[in-house]
Amino acid sequence: DTGVSQDPRHKITKRGQNVTFRCDPISEHNRLYWYRQTLGQGPEFLTYFQNEAQLEKSRLLSDRFSAERPKGSFSTLEIQRTEQGDSAMYLCASRTGTDGSTEAFFGQGTRLTVV
Amino acid sequence: AQTVTQSQPEMSVQEAETVTLSCTYDTSESDYYLFWYKQPPSRQMILVIRQEAYKQQNATENRFSVNFQKAAKSFSLKISDSQLGDAAMYFCAYFDPSGTYKYIFGTGTRLKVLA
């Protein structure tokens, strides 16, 4: 297993277009997170899955954002009608277990640029 | 709501010297986990060290150690014998295992290692 994989690594899109990102977690990890990171800031929580169930969504996640994790495996994050303010690094992380004793493993992220 | 504060946007250290990165947090919980993650340029975040709040003993991982002061809600990271490969963004993170299961990150400290 090579860790958490995210695709694409970079995406440039025009304002108003839809984009979709994919995250493949470590295979036995039942918990999956999406975070957004802008320049000079720490990662901000977007949403969290336990298996296929989306258990929490941040208020940062407007109606233009949707995330899925069908069958509890890979996850997708879609942004509709992109805006320049959506430009950021989108990070995916996965972990197993129910407490904090297991670490979260992060992917390399998808850098989105909206022009 | 829990918050994490890193008041040092940037720190520098001479190679082979020791540096301490600061982190404070706010929570009303008594059982939680604290982490330091390292984010090298253009690479994914990796776990440096983890501390469980109910353990009074400070965690240590080779050249990395923490000073955990629960009453003061302080969690600093000490890097001894600094190496060029330690240069990165360092993020302090809080995890509440009884609540939302999400990680809350600080804004990060950029560490520069001078040869």
Side-chain angles (χ1 to χ4, degrees):
Chain A
D1 197 339
T2 56
V4 179
S5 177
Q6 292 189 244
D7 184 69
R9 293 287 309 280
H10 303 273
K11 178 71 176 178
I12 300 175
T13 190
K14 292 183 178 180
R15 189 174 53 185
Q17 297 294 304
N18 299 343
V19 294
T20 300
F21 310 141
R22 177 179 172 122
C23 171
D24 286 274
I26 294 172
S27 58
E28 66 270 23
H29 286 187
N30 59 337
R31 298 174 189 270
L32 186 146
Y33 301 81
W34 284 99
Y35 280 82
R36 180 172 67 188
Q37 185 178 21
T38 53
L39 199 62
Q41 298 296 316
E44 296 175 295
F45 172 78
L46 292 179
T47 191
Y48 157 63
F49 290 85
Q50 180 178 325
N51 299 312
E52 66 276 9
Q54 188 175 20
L55 297 187
E56 186 175 350
K57 288 175 57 173
S58 166
R59 281 172 289 180
L60 292 174
L61 221 61
S62 74
D63 291 344
R64 297 184 297 107
F65 288 71
S66 62
E68 294 182 339
R69 193 183 181 197
K71 302 179 182 177
S73 56
F74 71 92
S75 176
T76 58
L77 178 69
E78 181 183 14
I79 309 175
Q80 296 181 327
R81 304 181 305 280
T82 52
E83 302 173 354
Q84 286 189 320
D86 297 331
S87 296
M89 176 76 84
Y90 290 84
L91 299 172
C92 177
S94 71
R95 60 184 289 267
T96 186
T98 57
D99 61 17
S101 64
T102 56
E103 70 178 276
F105 291 83
F106 283 80
Q108 289 190 280
T110 294
R111 182 169 295 283
L112 173 66
T113 302
V114 181
V115 297
Chain B
Q2 296 96 349
T3 58
V4 176
T5 301
Q6 293 179 251
S7 58
Q8 304 156 316
E10 190 172 292
M11 293 283 284
S12 296
V13 62
Q14 287 290 140
E15 199 175 3
E17 296 295 308
T18 296
V19 65
T20 298
L21 308 184
S22 300
C23 173
T24 59
Y25 60 93
D26 188 27
T27 183
S28 58
E29 301 294 329
S30 59
D31 188 20
Y32 48 88
Y33 292 80
L34 297 164
F35 303 85
W36 279 98
Y37 273 90
K38 171 185 177 181
Q39 188 177 40
S42 301
R43 297 184 63 185
Q44 69 259 52
M45 287 207 291
I46 56 174
L47 179 67
V48 174
I49 199 164
R50 167 178 48 220
Q51 175 77 43
E52 298 168 68
Y54 66 86
K55 289 188 176 179
Q56 293 186 338
Q57 186 174 8
N58 289 326
T60 299
E61 290 286 345
N62 301 315
R63 299 183 295 107
F64 298 88
S65 62
V66 299
N67 183 4
F68 173 50
Q69 302 289 329
K70 190 172 184 180
K73 296 180 182 175
S74 170
F75 182 61
S76 60
L77 174 69
K78 185 171 82 171
I79 305 174
S80 304
D81 185 25
S82 296
Q83 301 175 358
L84 294 177
D86 295 334
M89 285 291 291
Y90 285 82
F91 293 98
C92 179
Y94 168 96
F95 178 87
D96 175 10
S98 63
T100 60
Y101 296 97
K102 66 186 179 191
Y103 297 81
I104 300 170
F105 288 87
T107 51
T109 296
R110 181 175 301 282
L111 179 65
K112 295 183 176 181
V113 181
L114 309 173

